[in-house]
Amino acid sequence: MPVDQAALDAVALSRDEYDLLLQQLGREPNEVELGMFGSLWSEHCGYKNSKPLLRLFPSGGDHILTQVGAENAGAIDIGDGLCAVMKVESHNHPSAVEPYQGAATGVGGIVRDIFAMGAYPIALLDSLRFGSFGDQQTQFLFNGVVGGIGWYGNCLGIPTVGGEVAFSEAYTGNPLVNAMCLGIAETKKLLSAKATGARNVFLLVGSDTGRDGIHGASGLASRTDPEARFEEMRPAVQVGNPFMEKLLMEACYELASEHGGWVAGLQDLGAAGLTSSVVECCAKGRSGAILNLDRVPRREPGMTAYEIMLSESQERMLVIAKREHVDDVTALFQRWELHCEPIGEVTGGHEVVIFDSGVEVARVPVEIATEPPLYRRQGVRPAELAERNAFDLASLADIAATDALPTLLRLLASPNIASKRGVYRTYDHQVLNGTVTPPGGDAAVVRVAGTGRGLALTTDCNARLCYLDPYAGGAAAVAEAARNVVCTGATPVAITDCLNFGNPEKLEVAYQLEQCIRGIAEACLQFDTPVVSGNVSLYNESRGRAIYPTPVIGMLGILDDVSRHLIAGFPAADRQVYLLGGLVEQETGALSGSEYLEVVHQRVAGLPSVDLVAERRLQRVVLQAHREGLLASAHDCSDGGLAVALAECAILGGHGFHGEAAVSGRLDAALFGEAQGRIIVALAAHADADRLVTLAGELSVPCTRIGVTAAGESFSFDSISTDVGTLRKAYEALV
Amino acid sequence: MRLQRSADGLRAVRDCAPCTGYHTIMRFAIVRFPGTWSDRDTYHALHDVLGHEAEIIWHRTTDLARFDAVVLPGGFSYGDYLRSGAIARFSPVMEAVVDFAEAGKPVIGICNGFQILCESGLLPGALIRNESLQFRCEWGFLRRDGGATPWADGIAPGEVLRIPISHGEGNYQADADTLAMLESEGRVIFHYCDARGDATPASNPNGSVNNIAGIINPRGNVLGMMPHPERAPEELLGGTDGNRIWQSVIASRLTIIG
């Protein structure tokens, strides 16, 4: 059967890739096989453009229990025989096409990755990017995405404890929807996504298989759409059923926590459905499979083998049951009122052989299917950066003292900085009785039931910095995540990452990808936070323009005593406030890539810099000071700079502030510059301020007393004089 | 630990910090429908925090004889498909819950549980979509009003509790006659209010008529409420006011001994 270009386009394979496949296979693939290879060799499943670069990440460590990519998510030892299991994943393309279901099924997918490991999911975070705030299309996408996340997560009963929402023209037509989930398991009860043990049985549980989501992996997520045909691809978006997922989650957790010995492995069905699920767990288990498609429960008659193998119908799991416990496992799922069908067996061979109505319809060698060609491109620094990096920030007029307050209010009300309470109050962030620090602060804090411990969780990425300097931006994303974790009093331990980029076949995008990865890798080494899991989403473009490079970092930190966590807001009146890690006075370079520069001067320019050594020292000082009981609150200086951060401390804590610093240099840089690596702390009652100064001095960390918290509403800092109510009104502009 | 003989057999008795003195340990049934998610939180509040016996029971259970009180917790039973609580009311356990309630024993429905009680006819009225058309999860205030009920007799009239809500369909509605009856018979036990106890429009999170947050049946043993007392069990989670409701029903069964 000669294969024409249209057939290859349908499965997103290039002619060269097809020729390579012919050579490896030694024959022409049939239609079913071609669909399966196309999906497995897609960027989404095969990571063919990113795998060589991902090897740059530091990944192991004493407390890391999994190898990256070997399982559905990464597991980290958190003591007491427990582990945290986490991962972040994108659902950008489906959300661009159908925001509500796209975002909802993104949540569903990441949650399945976590309970496939045998963990119980206890927290969700969502990192979202949309086009310009005022834009009508942005409003449509925003409402759909937020609605879909809330619907799915709320129905599941997993709290959404944090995340980010940012807006920029760069995401017009291509929003980013990254969902992170964290679960807890007893380490010895972790399950693996491996198909092992010949004659063990593949049980397909959960929803019936329908015609939805076919070509989601190869068609939607692995190429760009130059002719804006995404509209036509709406049927490639899956439709979610969170109620079904809730039952699946409870049943799988019962299976893992009480009857782990009944199964050889557990795997979710995500991108490329049954194809990737079966082939990948055979690859991990060094085994093969025989499948009988007649046993797959279907939503409608007349489905072809091709459709069944590539359907991305949601809420399905694949259990590899030990053959002597098939009846036990089936009874367990039936008790949860779920379908459970044996669809095949593990074999000792290295092929997945598929039968439909007794006829062999596909024979796929596991090794070929899971080893797509890898591409490593020598990137080129985007030409437009030279001008932006060289822009003379000092040529901009400084703000007048009288403009300081209006500018602060304008920044507080800017959609990127303003309170996201209007979003997170539509998410259940309390269920499971573990949320100690709800959304709205730096990192969320959840407690680990049955222990005194807490976990700090955050997602961060300043994409403007990544655009202006991908290396510094990648490093800064990790540094900021670590800083947010440290601001709760927790020690950073690991990250998961979601790399959102444009079309990697463009050399400028290849450059951004490589440089961001190098920056992240360097920062992870510096902070001793290995990468335990992650996801790559490429081809994020609309109308030929790539998004900002956006490597979202999800970080986990551990608090030994959750009752001793720090909060972001000022805790009480008459507490001394210090700025650690940098000075109030800043050069104009601090305005590089700042929110101020974009909001006030409509510019994205400058050359951001990050000092990882200084950042690490800062974080050590804050953690030591907290250990010694010196601190009551800590808040990181990031978007909007020092003035915005101080205002947030006052708003969140409900206490006033009187600043004592007087700026003599550039007022805009001091108030709104975004110099990295700075944390505002308020001291605990009766804390010894000299001890903090000594601790900082020992590690050469700048430490400046900048004021004192006040009873009542009054707020003053340098030329700004106002009250907390006025600040709050601006900050709650979007609520 | 001491033993006490009572009408329904031997019970363990012990010193319980949140209550004063000794009392009978109550045994709560927490009903888990497919899709329920406040079951574990309710168990945590009743068992881990307050030291009572609690058992999460599957919705196919039909025997509630061994329990002293029944909790229909929050969640999305059957995914809220068709209408919140509309399918769960046909669960096998509901017949037993109705019998339990008719025997005068304490039953509470929280959030989705309140919706199920309305659907099953144990309480009047209905809960429709929030006026904002959005799900809302946030802390709010409730004022204790109305007459006697074991679920709130330990809370003084006019007292204000701080307890979170978490729902998309908590907008209580009933016809004018029913409303007049509920208010005049003292069956509205909680009104949404502000921190000072004023039931203002701004303190109404979902558009409920008359700021109604919780109501009882004529006999007072069945309470339905939208806010989640089980989410306010410890200071670490933001407050302990939720325990007041559990402590009320526990106190109603209090047996002082020795």
Side-chain angles (χ1 to χ4, degrees):
Chain A
M1 176 187 77
V3 168
D4 60 17
Q5 195 57 43
L8 291 182
D9 284 349
V11 296
L13 282 179
S14 71
R15 177 61 68 177
D16 286 348
E17 286 167 342
Y18 181 72
D19 290 342
L20 180 68
L21 178 59
L22 279 188
Q23 188 194 331
Q24 293 192 355
L25 207 54
R27 62 178 169 88
E28 297 265 357
N30 66 28
E31 189 197 3
V32 178
E33 290 167 336
L34 185 62
M36 292 174 68
F37 281 113
S39 295
L40 291 164
W41 280 20
S42 69
E43 177 57 39
H44 195 74
C45 293
Y47 294 90
K48 58 192 173 191
N49 289 289
S50 49
K51 208 181 247 174
L53 291 170
L54 297 176
R55 295 190 184 124
L56 296 169
F57 284 148
S59 58
D62 291 346
H63 51 287
I64 308 302
L65 304 169
T66 46
Q67 283 181 304
V68 181
E71 297 293 348
N72 282 305
I76 304 112
D77 184 358
I78 57 169
D80 296 318
L82 300 176
C83 64
V85 174
M86 68 172 187
K87 191 181 181 184
V88 60
E89 201 163 72
S90 65
H91 232 215
N92 305 336
H93 297 93
S95 304
V97 178
E98 210 301 289
Y100 191 92
Q101 290 294 341
T105 53
V107 173
I110 193 66
V111 168
R112 281 195 300 282
D113 276 332
I114 300 308
F115 70 74
M117 300 277 295
Y120 196 87
I122 64 160
L124 285 165
L125 296 90
D126 303 288
S127 179
L128 311 178
R129 301 286 187 288
F130 298 97
S132 301
F133 183 72
D135 190 73
Q136 249 188 342
Q137 188 197 23
T138 295
Q139 279 303 324
F140 166 74
L141 292 171
F142 174 83
N143 290 336
V145 166
V146 170
I149 289 172
W151 171 61
Y152 207 100
N154 294 347
C155 189
L156 275 184
I158 303 171
T160 298
V161 300
E164 316 159 84
V165 187
F167 302 89
S168 160
E169 206 199 333
Y171 304 102
T172 302
N174 197 125
L176 301 187
V177 177
N178 292 182
M180 172 175 167
C181 186
L182 179 134
I184 299 289
E186 278 183 60
T187 302
K188 62 174 193 283
K189 291 180 176 170
L190 276 178
L191 293 183
S192 185
K194 284 179 184 152
T196 53
R199 299 207 45 227
N200 281 339
V201 176
F202 288 105
L203 296 171
L204 184 60
V205 300
S207 288
D208 293 351
T209 298
R211 284 184 163 124
D212 51 336
I214 292 167
H215 289 162
S218 58
L220 266 182
S222 296
R223 60 181 169 194
T224 54
D225 178 33
E227 288 136 42
R229 288 182 300 112
F230 275 171
E231 287 286 315
E232 296 166 24
M233 301 196 74
R234 197 155 285 155
V237 179
Q238 316 84 339
V239 177
N241 178 352
F243 170 60
M244 180 68 79
E245 178 113 335
K246 167 76 172 163
L247 298 180
L248 262 184
M249 174 172 94
E250 296 292 345
C252 288
Y253 182 67
E254 186 181 318
L255 179 65
S257 59
E258 293 173 30
H259 309 290
W262 292 353
V263 297
L266 183 61
Q267 167 77 303
D268 73 309
L269 278 81
L274 205 47
T275 293
S276 72
S277 192
V278 171
V279 172
E280 282 174 16
C281 63
C282 285
K284 288 166 188 164
R286 298 180 183 282
S287 60
I290 292 180
L291 298 186
N292 180 359
L293 298 188
D294 298 338
R295 300 303 297 267
V296 175
R298 307 162 195 200
R299 285 189 197 151
E300 51 191 314
M303 286 181 67
T304 63
Y306 184 95
E307 288 170 327
I308 293 167
M309 287 310 296
L310 291 178
S311 162
E312 292 187 8
S313 288
Q314 299 290 289
E315 294 92 21
R316 296 179 299 164
M317 297 290 287
L318 192 65
V319 183
I320 299 105
K322 291 183 183 164
R323 60 181 177 278
E324 64 274 24
H325 289 294
V326 169
D327 292 344
D328 296 325
V329 175
T330 304
L332 186 154
F333 281 98
Q334 284 172 348
R335 239 188 354 267
W336 283 97
E337 302 173 19
L338 291 163
H339 284 298
C340 179
E341 278 294 320
I343 62 162
E345 283 187 3
V346 181
T347 64
H350 300 289
E351 290 182 321
V352 173
V353 186
I354 299 165
F355 291 92
D356 191 12
S357 309
V359 178
E360 182 182 310
V361 293
R363 182 174 284 265
V364 171
V366 171
E367 204 166 312
I368 299 176
T370 51
E371 289 183 11
L374 300 181
Y375 302 111
R376 177 95 189 246
R377 295 184 175 84
Q378 191 58 46
V380 174
R381 190 171 174 88
E384 75 219 53
L385 285 190
E387 195 184 329
R388 289 183 188 266
N389 290 156
F391 178 76
D392 181 12
L393 294 164
S395 69
L396 298 171
D398 195 0
I399 52 169
T402 49
D403 285 336
L405 176 60
T407 307
L408 172 60
L409 297 178
R410 195 169 157 196
L411 284 175
L412 283 172
S414 138
N416 286 334
I417 290 176
S419 168
K420 305 302 183 299
R421 187 162 67 91
V423 173
Y424 64 73
R425 73 177 174 185
T426 70
Y427 302 150
D428 190 334
H429 49 264
Q430 300 174 324
V431 63
L432 301 181
N433 268 357
T435 309
V436 172
T437 300
D442 286 314
V445 176
V446 295
R447 66 174 173 187
V448 182
T451 75
R453 260 183 263 278
L455 303 176
L457 295 165
T458 182
T459 63
D460 286 290
C461 177
N462 185 330
R464 231 172 2 222
L465 302 185
C466 293
Y467 169 66
L468 289 171
D469 188 309
Y471 182 90
V478 180
E480 184 180 349
R483 207 182 310 132
N484 281 328
V485 163
V486 163
C487 283
T488 68
T491 305
V493 292
I495 73 161
T496 178
D497 65 301
C498 195
L499 305 175
N500 306 275
F501 289 81
N503 176 355
E505 296 156 37
K506 294 182 183 167
L507 299 186
E508 289 81 1
V509 173
Y511 172 85
Q512 292 173 333
L513 182 62
E514 174 159 358
Q515 291 300 312
C516 274
I517 286 175
R518 287 186 181 281
I520 292 167
E522 177 60 31
C524 285
L525 280 175
Q526 194 58 242
F527 297 113
D528 198 16
T529 52
V531 180
V532 298
S533 59
N535 170 240
V536 180
S537 173
L538 304 178
Y539 302 95
N540 289 289
E541 307 204 340
S542 70
R543 294 175 191 85
R545 264 190 49 209
I547 57 159
Y548 279 160
T550 314
V552 171
I553 304 299
M555 187 173 280
L556 170 71
I558 298 181
L559 270 156
D560 289 333
D561 179 357
V562 69
S563 67
R564 286 195 66 236
H565 65 282
L566 291 170
I567 54 174
F570 287 143
D574 301 319
R575 299 296 176 82
Q576 299 186 63
V577 177
Y578 281 77
L579 177 65
L580 293 168
L583 302 174
V584 173
E585 303 271 357
Q586 291 289 330
E587 305 288 330
T588 48
L591 296 173
S592 296
S594 64
E595 185 73 14
Y596 164 84
L597 200 60
E598 180 153 16
V599 168
V600 175
H601 295 284
Q602 287 82 48
R603 272 182 197 282
V604 176
L607 185 60
S609 65
V610 52
D611 182 342
L612 295 172
V613 175
E615 178 85 47
R616 173 95 202 233
R617 287 182 181 155
L618 162 73
Q619 295 180 12
R620 281 174 61 192
V621 168
V622 171
L623 288 179
Q624 184 56 34
H626 174 52
R627 235 170 264 132
E628 294 184 16
L630 300 175
L631 308 181
S633 76
H635 183 41
D636 105 297
C637 264
S638 56
D639 301 356
L642 178 61
V644 164
L646 282 170
E648 287 169 345
C649 290
I651 294 164
L652 293 171
H655 296 281
F657 174 73
H658 289 149
E660 286 156 16
V663 176
S664 59
R666 285 282 296 215
L667 191 56
D668 53 1
L671 295 178
F672 310 118
E674 296 181 15
Q676 295 285 305
R678 295 188 297 168
I679 292 176
I680 295 165
V681 296
L683 298 196
H686 314 299
D688 178 3
D690 292 342
R691 177 66 190 148
L692 179 67
V693 173
T694 306
L695 277 177
E698 282 168 3
L699 286 173
S700 310
V701 169
C703 175
T704 316
R705 185 187 140 101
I706 55 170
V708 62
T709 62
E713 287 272 291
S714 119
F715 182 97
S716 64
F717 184 65
D718 193 76
S719 40
I720 295 164
S721 181
T722 181
D723 58 83
V724 180
T726 304
L727 297 172
R728 180 176 287 116
K729 195 168 161 231
Y731 188 63
E732 301 235 310
L734 302 188
V735 175
Chain B
M1 195 75 94
R2 296 203 277 159
L3 292 177
Q4 177 214 10
R5 185 167 295 280
S6 67
D8 45 359
L10 278 177
R11 286 292 181 76
V13 174
R14 69 167 201 188
D15 195 11
C16 174
C19 309
T20 48
Y22 292 89
H23 65 76
T24 310
I25 288 185
M26 278 184 74
R27 190 179 292 152
F28 289 85
I30 303 167
V31 181
R32 172 186 280 170
F33 298 93
T36 295
W37 43 232
S38 278
D39 44 355
R40 290 183 176 86
D41 296 350
T42 307
Y43 181 88
H44 174 72
L46 291 171
H47 181 267
D48 302 344
V49 178
L50 296 174
H52 287 263
E53 284 180 19
E55 199 180 315
I56 295 173
I57 60 168
W58 188 231
H59 72 121
R60 296 199 173 275
T61 311
T62 52
D63 181 9
L64 297 172
R66 66 185 185 282
F67 298 104
D68 303 309
V70 170
V71 185
L72 306 183
F76 283 63
S77 60
Y78 293 97
D80 272 1
Y81 296 148
L82 186 60
R83 197 170 61 235
S84 314
I87 304 177
R89 66 156 292 202
F90 294 108
S91 273
V93 74
M94 284 310 294
E95 220 168 293
V97 171
V98 170
D99 291 346
F100 194 90
E102 279 173 0
K105 296 184 192 171
V107 174
I108 186 172
I110 298 164
C111 191
N112 192 222
F114 185 11
Q115 293 160 343
I116 295 168
L117 289 176
C118 290
E119 286 288 339
S120 67
L122 281 170
L123 293 173
L127 294 141
I128 65 170
R129 278 194 84 183
N130 293 351
E131 207 170 44
S132 63
L133 302 182
Q134 286 183 337
F135 193 94
R136 281 279 191 278
C137 176
E138 56 198 0
W139 286 85
F141 296 97
L142 303 178
R143 189 182 66 216
R144 161 71 161 117
D145 291 306
T149 168
W151 292 103
D153 283 345
I155 305 163
E159 212 182 319
V160 174
L161 304 183
R162 185 170 169 273
I163 291 178
I165 58 158
S166 187
H167 58 246
E169 299 184 6
N171 181 352
Y172 183 79
Q173 297 296 329
D175 62 65
D177 291 347
T178 305
L179 284 175
M181 175 190 71
L182 287 174
E183 297 282 6
S184 70
E185 292 179 3
R187 287 170 57 190
V188 180
I189 297 302
F190 295 117
H191 286 99
Y192 296 110
C193 64
D194 61 21
R196 288 175 314 194
D198 294 330
T200 59
S203 61
N204 184 340
N206 52 31
S208 288
V209 61
N210 293 5
N211 281 40
I212 289 175
I215 58 171
I216 53 172
N217 64 347
R219 203 166 164 180
N221 62 314
V222 178
L223 169 68
M225 63 187 292
M226 282 315 292
H228 287 270
E230 79 284 1
R231 292 192 184 188
E234 293 163 87
E235 286 302 340
L236 187 63
L237 300 178
T240 59
D241 280 1
N243 294 341
R244 300 291 303 283
I245 288 162
W246 309 121
Q247 284 162 344
S248 285
V249 78
I250 292 163
S252 78
R253 304 274 139 153
L254 190 72
T255 319
I256 305 284
I257 54 166

